[in-house]
Amino acid sequence: MNITFYGAAQQVTGSMHLLTLNSGYKVLIDCGLDYENRNDFEKNNRNFPFLPNEIDLLILTHSHIDHSGNIPNLISQGYNGQIICSEPTVELTTNLLLDSLNVQLIETRKHKGKKNKFKRVNTKSDAKALYQKVHINQTSDAMVALAFNKPFIVNDELTIELFEAGHILGAASVKLTIHENGETKVLGFTGDLGNYNSKLVKDPTPMPGLDYLVTESTYGGRLHTPHNDAEALLLEYINATCVKYGGKLVIPAFSVGRTQSIIFTLKQLSIKGLLPETIKIYTDSPLAIKTTRLYDKYKKYLNEEAQLFTKEHGDLFNFPNLYVIENSKDSELISLTPEPAVIVSAAGMVEGGRIQEHIRNHISDAYSTILIAGFCAEGTFGHELLMGKPMVFINYKPKQVYAKIARTDVFSAHPDQDGLMKFLNDCNYKSLKKIFLVHGDLNSMQKFKDKIDLESVVLPAYEDSFTL
Ligand SMILES: [Zn+2]
């Protein structure tokens, strides 16, 4: 058999790996959008480096758009097989794809000359959505939910088993057992792994008996910041910003995963009576609201602590100070109101979404804090903020940065270098024939590779192909 890396190869986004068995049977693992260079979005995502109608099976590890976002396009170009994933991933993915299409349509309108208040770079592409809503419906119809830890025999050659990866609700690692030419070979794909001891999701589950492993390495090059008490950290920022100075604590957060961890942490503080009663907490992202409902619906997939919590306190996310903002008018109002508050809004890297206006309205307020709670890829506005510039450009206009810019890893959805090594050890990696590192920048992957005590650790580049 043969594996070819068509995405997340020496970069973080665009996960897509093609496995071709000797019989010609083709399995695609993930089909994500490539966001590495916004000017190349069209070029990187519109066409596939293979014929979509020749793929026999698609496995989706989790709903995040850099793993799922190009599936409707794959379908529009002829893929008509099943999409194997976990149960929560079906609904989460549908919501994320609808949101992603909406973002693409907004981009299209911008390029037709409509107003774009947050514009800060010139994009040359004549952006057009990659697919239509009908292709999202077809994606949902094609999804087949598998249980975790129950092998599924696809045919004489191939058996699939999903393992819980942590990371976000429903995230899976996948083990493929392949029988060909009288031999059995076992491959593992981690998808995105979760941070150990996360607030809501379980720890990553190791995959036993592997010959080859394709693993993410997002934070392979570094260790998370030592602050590991999420409740204490949030309380510290709320007291220092909202209580002491009457400012706003603005937290950019991904709608799927991060927002729920933050709101759950605030609920824990509320139950303990530690959350100041006068401080309003706003969650302001339509996608995050839909996702939060799914976290409640599928709570049997969450960790033991979260499940015990629901038995004791009813639900995971509601508490008296929490205000859920549905429409954009209310979003503007909460941004402009002078009273102290916490605003949790998407998108996490401050590329698109309602968070942009909240940042615009508070970046020059010396009493406010912008708390970056996750990974911000180079070139994103979140990354620019973290560089500590005294001035940034929004809508081509300079804005002085007087707000405090802070960052924390305490809500990270990925393991750091120690966590990744723990996962490899749990998978008994020294008995593997080869490890492929993907989903990381080259620098991180090289640092991680140096830590792995195995002769064959490969950092595949785009379109690199290997016979296994
Ligand atoms: Zn992910």
Side-chain angles (χ1 to χ4, degrees):
M1 86 186 94
N2 202 282
I3 184 166
T4 310
F5 295 88
Y6 286 121
Q10 300 185 2
Q11 65 177 42
V12 172
T13 65
S15 283
M16 190 161 65
H17 317 303
L18 179 64
L19 198 64
T20 306
L21 308 191
N22 288 349
S23 64
Y25 192 87
K26 287 180 163 49
V27 184
L28 194 64
I29 294 97
D30 286 339
C31 184
L33 284 180
D34 185 328
Y35 283 109
E36 287 316 295
N37 186 338
R38 293 196 308 157
N39 284 336
D40 291 340
F41 183 80
E42 171 82 12
K43 180 167 92 51
N44 290 343
N45 295 293
R46 173 72 61 188
N47 296 311
F48 293 93
F50 46 77
L51 290 172
N53 63 3
E54 286 186 355
I55 305 295
D56 294 287
L57 188 68
L58 172 59
I59 302 171
L60 174 60
T61 57
H62 67 291
S63 59
H64 275 156
I65 221 72
D66 60 326
H67 293 256
S68 70
N70 221 5
I71 297 175
N73 187 22
L74 188 81
I75 287 181
S76 81
Q77 295 189 40
Y79 177 67
N80 64 1
Q82 294 177 325
I83 303 165
I84 302 285
C85 60
S86 74
E87 189 188 16
T89 298
V90 176
E91 278 183 78
L92 283 170
T93 302
T94 306
N95 289 346
L96 268 156
L97 291 174
L98 288 168
D99 184 72
S100 176
L101 176 60
N102 198 28
V103 170
Q104 291 175 46
L105 293 173
I106 289 169
E107 285 293 317
T108 308
R109 284 202 289 276
K110 279 180 196 171
H111 289 286
K112 283 184 180 155
K114 295 251 170 91
K115 206 173 166 192
N116 168 21
K117 285 196 279 185
F118 202 79
K119 199 166 184 178
R120 61 192 176 82
V121 290
N122 274 314
T123 48
K124 288 188 214 108
S125 93
D126 53 342
K128 239 171 89 184
L130 294 167
Y131 51 82
Q132 297 164 22
K133 194 168 171 223
V134 64
H135 304 120
I136 299 178
N137 296 341
Q138 288 168 4
T139 301
S140 306
D141 290 345
M143 286 199 265
V144 177
L146 289 195
F148 287 107
N149 310 308
K150 282 192 182 159
F152 171 68
I153 299 168
V154 178
N155 55 34
D156 291 347
E157 293 173 295
L158 174 65
T159 298
I160 294 169
E161 186 173 351
L162 302 184
F163 290 78
E164 281 166 302
H167 186 54
I168 59 165
L169 177 69
S173 299
V174 57
K175 178 169 134 176
L176 290 87
T177 304
I178 291 139
H179 309 284
E180 57 181 18
N181 307 336
E183 270 186 279
T184 299
K185 288 170 188 163
V186 186
L187 273 75
F189 292 81
T190 61
D192 284 0
L193 295 168
N195 204 3
Y196 287 86
N197 303 313
S198 286
K199 276 275 171 197
L200 292 166
V201 292
K202 294 177 185 174
D203 284 347
T205 311
M207 293 177 280
L210 301 179
D211 296 309
Y212 301 93
L213 177 64
V214 179
T215 179
E216 70 120 317
S217 49
T218 318
Y219 286 127
R222 71 176 181 86
L223 300 175
H224 287 328
T225 45
H227 205 317
N228 61 4
D229 184 340
E231 288 174 44
L233 178 118
L234 277 185
L235 198 57
E236 211 173 285
Y237 277 106
I238 291 169
N239 282 330
T241 304
C242 310
V243 178
K244 194 168 177 193
Y245 291 113
K248 292 229 181 64
L249 176 60
V250 179
I251 311 180
F254 295 109
S255 303
V256 180
R258 188 99 66 236
T259 296
Q260 289 72 32
S261 300
I262 292 168
I263 300 298
F264 178 58
T265 305
L266 290 165
K267 170 145 185 169
Q268 288 178 309
L269 285 170
S270 170
I271 282 173
K272 289 175 186 167
L274 296 171
L275 199 59
E277 278 171 25
T278 51
I279 306 297
K280 289 181 176 159
I281 313 286
Y282 297 107
T283 172
D284 182 24
S285 149
L287 178 60
I289 294 164
K290 282 192 202 169
T291 304
T292 303
R293 288 186 194 124
L294 292 178
Y295 267 66
D296 258 329
K297 178 175 174 183
Y298 292 112
K299 52 179 167 275
K300 68 175 180 182
Y301 290 96
L302 298 177
N303 65 27
E304 215 174 307
E305 184 198 6
Q307 296 195 33
L308 280 174
F309 189 92
T310 54
K311 274 188 193 138
E312 209 175 322
H313 302 288
D315 75 64
L316 292 163
F317 304 110
N318 285 325
F319 54 94
N321 313 31
L322 180 70
Y323 296 81
V324 176
I325 303 301
E326 301 260 1
N327 66 57
S328 53
K329 270 230 158 67
D330 289 342
S331 175
E332 276 173 40
L333 281 177
I334 60 160
S335 207
L336 297 174
T337 178
E339 61 185 27
V342 178
I343 300 175
V344 183
S345 183
M349 299 189 199
V350 203
E351 289 293 302
R354 293 179 183 176
I355 188 66
Q356 296 187 327
E357 283 306 303
H358 298 308
I359 298 278
R360 210 163 90 97
N361 290 329
H362 296 94
I363 198 161
S364 300
D365 173 13
Y367 299 113
S368 289
T369 299
I370 296 165
L371 178 60
I372 306 279
F375 181 80
C376 288
E378 225 169 288
T380 61
F381 193 69
H383 189 264
E384 212 173 306
L385 287 175
L386 286 173
M387 285 163 71
K389 291 180 179 174
M391 191 184 74
V392 291
F393 281 85
I394 299 178
N395 196 21
Y396 307 119
K397 287 188 188 135
K399 279 265 188 191
Q400 299 294 331
V401 181
Y402 294 134
K404 180 178 176 171
I405 311 293
R407 73 175 285 271
T408 176
D409 289 326
V410 78
F411 297 104
S412 177
H414 290 272
D416 63 3
Q417 189 182 73
D418 284 352
L420 286 165
M421 277 314 299
K422 172 174 167 44
F423 182 80
L424 290 188
N425 281 317
D426 290 350
C427 288
N428 196 16
Y429 79 89
K430 288 184 185 172
S431 63
L432 292 172
K433 292 187 177 115
K434 204 184 279 286
I435 295 178
F436 298 96
L437 302 185
V438 294
H439 204 286
D441 64 52
L442 197 54
N443 184 31
S444 299
M445 291 198 293
Q446 256 146 2
K447 284 185 187 160
F448 185 39
K449 180 183 174 179
D450 292 343
K451 293 276 170 188
I452 302 171
D453 181 19
L454 190 76
E455 203 172 305
S456 192
V457 180
V458 183
L459 282 46
Y462 180 73
E463 279 191 327
D464 275 358
S465 199
F466 300 83
T467 302
L468 305 178

